[in-house]
């Protein structure tokens, strides 16, 4: 096997690692315990640069590099993932001669990505949609938070329950309610901010933790629903914090458009219920509309029911009762559902096999070295 010169040993001090290009290849070099080792730099998972990873000793006493994108680990010498995993990073031969690091022209041990037979995310990965030409699946998402052991009345949630009831009885829809407070799910951990390809579908967190509660939202919203009705209270002029926690985790859906020009949400309708003791229904609905249109949803005319009693109405002990007695609320919920269902029926007829997505794409973005194209 030929060995080719790569870099001087002085460029790789003890206790460091870095990736270096050799022709078309990128090699991750490590210098630990007085030994230089070399792995293929592109992680078997999604291509994270191992040369930028931290190195740590695991329980088996061996040194492993931790991929900076999602934490996969590889033994610095053998390329193997820790016990229990079959994945392996390509291992190159290393010779140090006259202060120069030489690398074998080809890997001595090839890389290997194991195939997991019982992939718990296969339905999401393969986009196994549950909608059919005739389905009328309505997903209610209640974002309000409360103590499960000490529940309180919620205007937004009771309106959502009434909306789902009417969708079922008035339109024969299959309905499902998800209360975000019942799901244990992690905050978005910002993998996109490290690299656009590090924010994956299914979500990087789902891959690490198939029991993460957001998987229920992904399955229900992306694969099952024809319509989503989301209900939120107003908190300090905005939607409630659980909504934002969910929205940040939906970056995995929107990012597929940006990075891969792939639209996961098609032929789906969204409408909203926004209730607050005080004000800013329109501001909250504006935010919801902006985000849901970025995901690919379509809106019926007049796609929200709003309730607020104004700036000086701190009448919280009577608010729920007033809400429940309101003829406006009862009528507008039925009308919201009617508009939503009518649009669902029409939208399902539209061929969106190739949706136009006038959104920024990575392929069109400028870089520091290559400025954006101007018309
Ligand atoms: S790309 Fe390396 S762990 Fe995901």
């Amino acid at each position: 096997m030929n060995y080719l010169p790569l870099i001087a040993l002085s460029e790789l001090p003890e206790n460091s690692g870095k990736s270096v290009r050799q022709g078309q290849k990128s090699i991750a070099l490590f210098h630990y315990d007085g030994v230089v080792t070399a792995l293929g730099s592109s992680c078997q998972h999604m291509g994270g640069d191992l040369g930028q990873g931290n190195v740590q000793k695991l329980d088996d006493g061996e040194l492993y590099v931790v991929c900076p994108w999602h934490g996969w680990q590889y033994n610095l010498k053998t390329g193997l993932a820790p016990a229990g995993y079959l994945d392996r990073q390509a291992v190159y031969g290393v010779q140090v001669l006259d202060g120069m690091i030489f690398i074998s022209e080809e890997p001595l041990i090839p890389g290997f990505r194991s195939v997991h037979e019982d992939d718990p995310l296969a339905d999401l990965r393969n986009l196994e949609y549950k909608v059919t030409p005739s389905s009328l699946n309505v997903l209610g998402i209640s974002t309000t938070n409360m103590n499960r052991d000490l529940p309180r009345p919620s205007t937004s949630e009771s309106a959502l329950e009434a909306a789902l009831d009417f969708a079922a009885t008035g339109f024969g829809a299959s309905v499902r309610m998800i209360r975000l407070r019942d799901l244990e799910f992690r905050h978005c951990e910002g993998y996109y901010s490290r690299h656009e390809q590090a924010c994956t579908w299914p979500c990087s967190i789902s891959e690490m933790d198939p029991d993460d509660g957001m998987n229920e939202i992904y399955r229900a919203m992306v694969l099952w629903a024809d319509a989503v009705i989301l209900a939120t209270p107003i908190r300090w002029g905005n939607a409630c914090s659980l909504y934002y926690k969910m929205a940040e985790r939906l970056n995995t859906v929107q990012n597929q458009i940006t990075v891969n020009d792939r639209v996961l949400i098609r032929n789906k309708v969204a409408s909203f219920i926004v209730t607050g003791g005080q004000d800013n229904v329109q501001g909250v609905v504006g935010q919801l509309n902006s985000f849901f249109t970025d995901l690919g949803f379509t809106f019926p005319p007049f796609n929200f029911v709003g309730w607020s009693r104004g700036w000086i109405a701190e009448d919280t002990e009577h608010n729920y009762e007033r809400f429940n007695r309101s003829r406006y609320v009862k009528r507008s919920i039925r009308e919201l559902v009617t508009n939503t269902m009518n649009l669902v029926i029409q939208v399902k007829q539209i061929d969106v096999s190739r949706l136009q997505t006038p959104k920024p794409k990575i392929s069109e973005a400028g870089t520091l070295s290559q400025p954006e194209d101007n018309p």
Side-chain angles (χ1 to χ4, degrees):
M1 174 90 59
N2 261 349
Y3 278 67
L4 304 171
L6 204 57
I7 57 170
L9 182 60
S10 58
E11 294 179 54
L12 188 71
E14 177 82 24
N15 296 324
S16 74
K18 70 194 297 189
S19 287
V20 180
R21 292 210 69 82
Q22 185 195 61
Q24 297 301 309
K25 291 192 285 254
S26 179
I27 314 285
L29 294 174
F30 302 96
H31 188 176
Y32 285 84
D33 293 342
V35 179
V36 176
T37 56
L39 304 177
S41 71
S42 178
C43 174
Q44 291 292 333
H45 178 218
M46 297 293 295
D49 180 4
L50 296 182
Q52 295 183 25
N54 291 327
V55 170
Q56 62 187 37
K57 194 171 270 185
L58 297 192
D59 291 345
D60 60 5
E62 297 282 317
L63 290 173
Y64 288 76
V65 59
V66 182
C67 178
W69 283 13
H70 313 108
W72 285 28
Q73 299 163 319
Y74 304 96
N75 186 302
L76 291 192
K77 292 179 185 157
T78 66
L80 286 168
Y85 298 94
L86 299 175
D87 309 277
R88 185 179 59 214
Q89 206 60 21
V91 181
Y92 288 80
V94 177
Q95 294 175 353
V96 180
L97 296 171
D98 298 331
M100 193 73 193
I101 299 172
F102 289 74
I103 300 293
S104 61
E105 207 168 358
E106 298 298 331
L108 299 185
I109 303 171
F112 175 73
R113 168 83 190 257
S114 66
V115 178
H116 301 277
E117 297 296 337
D118 48 352
D119 177 0
L121 303 178
D123 57 337
L124 293 170
R125 201 180 309 284
N126 302 327
L127 288 173
E128 295 171 10
Y129 287 105
K130 302 290 188 285
V131 291
T132 68
S134 60
S135 60
L136 290 175
N137 297 337
V138 181
L139 170 65
I141 300 177
S142 175
T143 66
T144 192
N145 202 9
M146 67 178 80
N147 185 333
R148 286 178 211 158
D149 300 326
L150 207 57
R152 57 168 174 77
S154 157
T155 51
S156 62
E157 191 161 298
S158 74
L160 181 56
E161 285 164 352
L164 295 181
D165 276 354
F166 186 58
T169 56
F171 293 86
S174 299
V175 298
R176 182 171 171 199
M177 166 82 100
I178 295 181
R179 295 172 178 83
L180 283 189
R181 65 181 177 277
D182 290 342
L183 305 180
E184 301 287 343
F185 63 105
R186 281 157 64 171
H187 285 276
C188 176
E189 290 159 6
Y191 297 98
Y192 186 82
S193 300
R194 184 175 281 279
H195 193 286
E196 66 269 10
Q197 299 289 354
C199 176
T200 59
W201 173 263
C203 174
S204 308
I205 294 173
S206 305
E207 298 235 26
M208 293 179 222
D209 182 4
D211 294 327
D212 182 88
M214 267 304 288
N215 295 336
E216 192 172 335
I217 292 285
Y218 298 139
R219 290 192 167 95
M221 181 186 285
V222 177
L223 302 181
W224 181 79
D226 292 299
V228 172
I229 304 177
L230 182 138
T232 180
I234 300 173
R235 301 267 194 259
W236 288 104
N238 289 293
C240 81
S241 58
L242 274 182
Y243 161 74
Y244 291 108
K245 187 179 176 189
M246 176 189 76
E248 288 180 10
R249 288 289 304 279
L250 288 170
N251 195 46
T252 178
V253 176
Q254 201 284 331
N255 194 40
Q256 286 299 301
I257 301 170
T258 308
V259 174
N260 296 324
D261 206 4
R262 186 164 76 137
V263 182
L264 308 189
I265 302 281
R266 296 159 181 263
N267 301 87
K268 295 184 193 290
V269 175
S271 48
F272 306 110
I273 294 166
V274 177
T275 67
Q278 290 186 315
D279 219 337
N280 206 23
V281 170
Q282 289 152 321
V284 172
V285 170
Q287 282 196 33
L288 296 172
N289 278 343
S290 166
F291 181 62
F292 274 73
T293 196
D294 256 17
L295 293 176
F297 282 89
T298 304
F299 305 128
F302 312 106
N303 74 325
F304 70 94
V305 168
W307 170 267
S308 83
R309 292 173 58 203
W311 181 242
I312 60 167
E314 293 282 8
D315 184 27
T316 52
E317 66 270 36
H318 300 117
N319 185 47
Y320 183 75
E321 183 194 332
R322 292 281 297 268
F323 180 82
N324 262 350
R325 280 197 285 125
S326 164
R327 270 193 304 151
Y328 150 74
V329 168
K330 290 183 174 59
R331 171 183 63 78
S332 60
I333 288 171
R334 284 197 304 274
E335 291 176 351
L336 179 80
V337 171
T338 300
N339 284 0
T340 300
M341 300 312 295
N342 285 342
L343 186 63
V344 166
I345 292 162
Q346 293 172 50
V347 155
K348 287 171 77 77
Q349 311 303 319
I350 300 172
D351 176 8
V352 289
S353 50
R354 181 67 187 92
L355 257 184
Q356 302 306 317
T357 52
K359 306 297 301 176
K361 313 262 170 61
I362 286 291
S363 55
E364 299 161 325
T367 63
L368 286 178
S369 57
Q370 183 186 16
E372 187 176 350
D373 288 343
N374 284 318

